[in-house]
Amino acid sequence: MCGIIGYVGNKSALPVLQRALKRLEYRGYDSAGVAILQDGRFKVVKQPGKVEKLNVLLESIPMHGKLGLGHTRWATHGVVSEVNAHPHWDCKQEIMVVHNGIIENYKHLRKELEDKGHKFLSQTDTEIIAHLVEEYYTHTLEEAVIKVLSKIKGTYAFVVASQREPEKLVGARLLSPLILGLGENGYYLVSDVTALLNETRLVVYLDDGDVVVVKKDGFQILDFKGQPRRKTSSKIQWDFSTRDKAGYPHFMLKEIYEQPEVVKRNITKYIRAEEISLSIDENILREAKHLWIVACGTAYHAGLVSEYLIERWAKIPVTVDTSSEFRYRDVVLEENTLFICISQSGETADTLAALRLARKMGIRTLAVVNVEGSTIAREADTVIYTNAGPEIGVASTKAYIAQLFILQLLGLKLAQLKNTIDIGFYKSYLTEIQMIPLYLESCLANASQIQKIADEVYNAHNFLYLARGMNFPNALEGALKLKEISYIHAEGYPGGEMKHGPIALIEDSLPVVAILSQGRVRDKMLSNLLEVKARHGKVIGIFPAGDQEVKEVCDYSIEIPAVREELSTLLVPIPLQLLAYYVAVNRKCDIDQPRNLAKSVTVE
Ligand code: G6P
């Protein structure tokens, strides 16, 4: 939800901003803009559309200057338009601001300021910050910002600059991410570390309640009362080389193909000498009597899969919630509940709020997170990283596989610690799970066959995804992938529930993606498939290689390696992702940046 960058240093600011905006674009891409302090005055260029469009415009507008702000927007308040794009400014265009988040009391503040004569141009909540700074700016920029902070309510990470203090940036954060990059040639205030590629690896992770004052020759961190705060810097370990398409037409496809590598990386990291070692205090797991898993979107589906596995292996109750529901209902968490939040970005606003709520309730918290140093990773009592590397495609793929894989290890470890599985099973499962990268490769080898299926079904208006048991959440995920990138309405349903409604939809124009695996629900699911066929549904089956009986029922067959049901949950996502991808290619959709979506949802 919006990407922000502020830069001050010895380099020309514009290329720095352009590079960062390109990398931040996955956070929102409906408009983009920059402001550069040039010869004592701010020069602003902004417009609706993606960063690329802004870059084309900038080719004909020379801009020089060593301080600048940039923004890529995901609209919350105000339509997508030039005037609502950031940066925003005060009455005299002397103060510039870029913001990620929502100022909830902006209407009331705007009225107050308008009564005092301030003139607003946009419909955004952000513009209020520039006018408030103008109102309180009697001495230094940071003093004015601190006064503003006592007036505004909501969530924010923002950066402000002023012509009056031409070598200074002031940033503040509350519930939206902001990171200070310490480079040899200047300082950066950015929404996330990926924006710092090729600039610096040295960062200070700012916390809620931090105000940062950055000058060309140093920085200072204060609290919202203006008192100094001490912070240490950290070195980013991420391998940034994964940030280009490497010859693939889309990041999504590249990330789908990276999945075997991601799993290999996690095997190396977490499986040693026939043992799972998650590098956490095992007592947390040993003492857990109930798991409460909270996440959004794809991460939520990973949580749902793990519910089946963990209950089966570790014999403890598991509850899975979407973060936005968890935080607004009266949950009853018993003592010894372990709260687990799953997040690719580690910044999702609802998941972060749910984590904070759990902590406030005195519950132990564990985060399963991809992005190193993200807020959720830093605030949870314990973190397990999923090591998927930067994921750029808005539709999550490799981060999902990594989450599923880590949650399997977590479930097995829990079961081992609680003595609820046979040691022989544990050992053999551990051997088998290390074959997953190979199995994933063989799933990827079906790509051209899946592409042909997509060529035939891409015109459908609706899709139904059916599965039972632990692959049911994968049906939800398959439907989500298709919706996200192809804009086709799709529903995931438990096969057994089909008769309670969706069966009414079945006709020959409705593709039904049916997931089958070995195990206790295979025969039940096959019966459901026959019910679909009896009503002329068009079946795309994903099932274990060699299951001839299922194959005969399917109109289109996608075979995956014949592994046990638990392991199949790690393989099924590949055909689902590829099917969604090729359908979207046929429909000429913007695959890496689907309309209305953003990768990191930092507003509620
Ligand atoms: C957005 C993204 C999804 C992601 C969800 C949760 O909706 O588009 O891909 O699954 O947020 O994000 P998180 O970063 O917390 O996993």
Side-chain angles (χ1 to χ4, degrees):
M1 302 278 119
C2 300
I4 64 176
I5 158 91
Y7 172 76
V8 60
N10 303 321
K11 295 194 274 192
S12 174
L14 184 62
V16 174
L17 302 186
Q18 287 177 294
R19 285 194 295 270
L21 287 182
K22 203 66 208 132
R23 292 175 208 125
L24 289 170
E25 196 173 23
Y26 72 90
R27 301 178 65 88
Y29 33 80
D30 59 46
S31 39
V34 291
I36 302 277
L37 189 57
Q38 179 170 319
D39 305 324
R41 294 286 302 163
F42 277 117
K43 199 164 171 182
V44 182
V45 179
K46 55 181 188 171
Q47 65 172 10
K50 294 188 178 175
V51 173
E52 202 46 55
K53 200 171 152 214
L54 178 77
N55 287 343
V56 171
L57 182 63
L58 286 168
E59 276 170 23
S60 57
I61 306 176
M63 286 176 103
H64 60 88
K66 295 179 176 169
L67 178 146
L69 303 180
H71 190 269
T72 174
R73 180 170 187 240
W74 187 88
T76 58
H77 293 61
V79 294
V80 176
S81 66
E82 183 181 335
V83 80
N84 285 336
H86 299 218
H88 291 285
W89 53 80
D90 63 318
C91 296
K92 300 190 209 92
Q93 214 176 332
E94 286 179 1
I95 298 159
M96 288 288 147
V97 60
V98 287
H99 165 224
N100 166 210
I102 294 176
I103 308 298
E104 287 163 1
N105 58 340
Y106 82 102
K107 272 200 176 149
H108 159 76
L109 293 170
R110 180 168 170 150
K111 171 86 182 53
E112 270 184 15
L113 288 162
E114 279 173 340
D115 289 346
K116 287 185 179 167
H118 287 262
K119 296 270 178 283
F120 283 79
L121 300 175
S122 75
Q123 299 145 358
T124 65
D125 52 335
T126 301
E127 198 181 349
I128 197 85
I129 299 172
H131 288 273
L132 280 173
V133 171
E134 180 183 15
E135 189 65 21
Y136 297 129
Y137 201 176
T138 49
H139 188 43
T140 63
L141 187 57
E142 55 272 30
E143 278 180 14
V145 166
I146 285 166
K147 284 190 188 137
V148 172
L149 296 172
S150 68
K151 298 287 282 186
I152 57 176
K153 293 201 176 77
T155 62
Y156 45 81
F158 67 80
V159 183
V160 187
S162 158
Q163 281 173 199
R164 266 200 250 168
E165 296 176 82
E167 295 192 345
K168 187 188 274 184
L169 298 174
V170 178
R173 79 157 272 184
L174 187 71
L175 298 167
S176 292
L178 189 63
I179 290 158
L180 170 64
L182 313 173
E184 282 174 14
N185 290 308
Y187 294 97
Y188 310 78
L189 283 169
V190 291
S191 298
D192 83 46
V193 292
T194 56
L196 296 173
L197 168 67
N198 297 338
E199 312 290 349
T200 180
R201 282 185 173 269
L202 203 58
V203 297
V204 176
Y205 292 108
L206 299 169
D207 291 306
D208 283 343
D210 280 349
V211 174
V212 57
V213 185
V214 179
K215 295 195 215 138
K216 242 172 123 174
D217 55 356
F219 70 91
Q220 197 189 10
I221 296 170
L222 309 168
D223 65 17
F224 278 13
K225 294 204 166 80
Q227 295 305 308
R229 274 186 163 178
R230 287 188 68 79
K231 284 271 145 78
T232 48
S233 57
S234 323
K235 199 136 192 218
I236 308 167
Q237 305 294 346
W238 270 34
D239 172 12
F240 283 132
S241 61
T242 48
R243 285 211 54 114
D244 61 61
K245 286 191 203 147
Y248 287 92
H250 299 99
F251 277 111
M252 181 180 177
L253 191 62
K254 177 186 171 233
E255 288 162 0
I256 290 174
Y257 275 88
E258 275 171 24
Q259 294 178 105
E261 221 27 69
V262 168
V263 174
K264 268 189 217 159
R265 203 178 299 145
N266 279 309
I267 290 174
T268 312
K269 182 133 193 233
Y270 296 125
I271 304 179
R272 283 193 211 121
E274 305 290 293
E275 266 307 330
I276 298 170
S277 165
L278 294 168
S279 320
I280 57 170
D281 173 5
E282 289 181 353
N283 283 328
I284 293 178
L285 302 181
R286 217 174 260 120
E287 287 159 18
K289 295 223 160 58
H290 187 156
L291 299 189
W292 208 294
I293 301 181
V294 168
C296 299
T298 292
Y300 168 66
H301 296 153
L304 287 175
V305 174
S306 75
E307 177 184 7
Y308 287 83
L309 290 163
I310 296 171
E311 289 190 339
R312 179 175 288 186
W313 291 336
K315 314 272 181 255
I316 59 168
V318 181
T319 308
V320 189
D321 241 341
T322 53
S323 314
S324 53
E325 288 302 312
F326 173 85
R327 59 183 292 204
Y328 289 116
R329 67 197 178 84
D330 303 307
V331 286
V332 181
L333 299 183
E334 298 139 313
E335 217 184 312
N336 289 327
T337 294
L338 175 63
F339 173 96
I340 302 180
C341 56
I342 311 167
S343 176
Q344 187 286 127
S345 63
E347 302 292 350
T348 302
D350 281 321
T351 307
L352 178 58
L355 167 68
R356 287 179 175 162
L357 191 63
R359 282 176 61 92
K360 215 162 142 195
M361 292 163 118
I363 300 294
R364 273 186 172 166
T365 59
L366 165 69
V368 176
V369 170
N370 191 36
V371 176
E372 250 183 58
S374 54
T375 312
I376 291 175
R378 285 182 294 127
E379 290 197 13
D381 298 327
T382 311
V383 59
I384 304 176
Y385 283 113
T386 53
N387 305 302
E391 190 179 63
I392 313 299
V394 165
S396 187
T397 52
K398 63 175 180 170
Y400 181 56
I401 288 287
Q403 288 159 353
L404 291 174
F405 187 78
I406 298 298
L407 290 165
Q408 289 225 355
L409 297 188
L410 187 77
L412 279 174
K413 189 75 209 173
L414 254 170
Q416 185 205 30
L417 293 171
K418 289 182 175 292
N419 248 327
T420 50
I421 42 170
D422 174 69
I423 186 71
F425 171 82
Y426 175 82
K427 292 277 177 211
S428 70
Y429 198 89
L430 219 51
T431 309
E432 286 172 45
I433 206 171
Q434 294 183 63
M435 300 291 287
I436 288 293
L438 276 180
Y439 295 146
L440 291 174
E441 297 283 2
S442 80
C443 292
L444 288 167
N446 287 335
S448 57
Q449 184 206 347
I450 295 172
Q451 185 171 12
K452 283 191 195 118
I453 299 172
D455 292 347
E456 296 199 26
V457 296
Y458 75 92
N459 269 325
H461 296 297
N462 296 289
F463 269 67
L464 186 60
Y465 287 71
L466 295 178
R468 296 178 79 121
M470 53 185 65
N471 270 308
F472 160 59
N474 273 330
L476 296 177
E477 175 60 11
L480 178 68
K481 285 289 87 88
L482 191 77
K483 272 184 274 207
E484 282 180 314
I485 61 170
S486 74
Y487 316 141
I488 297 176
H489 171 252
E491 259 188 84
Y493 234 78
E497 277 291 293
M498 185 185 60
K499 285 195 271 302
H500 300 285
I503 200 163
L505 301 174
I506 292 174
E507 53 180 5
D508 59 4
S509 61
L510 180 80
V512 178
V513 180
I515 304 165
L516 289 100
S517 48
Q518 297 177 347
R520 61 172 83 143
V521 289
R522 182 256 179 208
D523 293 351
K524 306 279 172 208
M525 187 60 206
L526 179 57
S527 304
N528 297 140
L529 261 196
L530 291 167
E531 288 156 8
V532 171
K533 275 316 297 171
R535 287 158 184 85
H536 310 291
K538 197 184 286 174
V539 175
I540 303 170
I542 300 173
F543 56 87
D547 193 334
Q548 207 49 37
E549 202 182 355
V550 172
K551 193 170 185 165
E552 277 162 20
V553 183
C554 297
D555 296 275
Y556 306 102
S557 296
I558 305 172
E559 298 188 22
I560 59 168
V563 293
R564 55 169 107 217
E565 188 185 11
E566 293 95 325
L567 289 171
S568 77
T569 59
L570 292 162
L571 309 184
V572 163
I574 296 243
L576 296 172
Q577 295 162 355
L578 287 170
L579 183 66
Y581 174 79
Y582 287 117
V583 167
V585 169
N586 270 303
R587 294 169 72 94
K588 303 196 173 18
C589 294
D590 189 343
I591 290 173
D592 285 334
Q593 295 178 334
R595 71 180 178 212
N596 303 341
L597 297 178
K599 183 130 193 91
S600 182
V601 180
T602 54
V603 293
E604 278 198 53

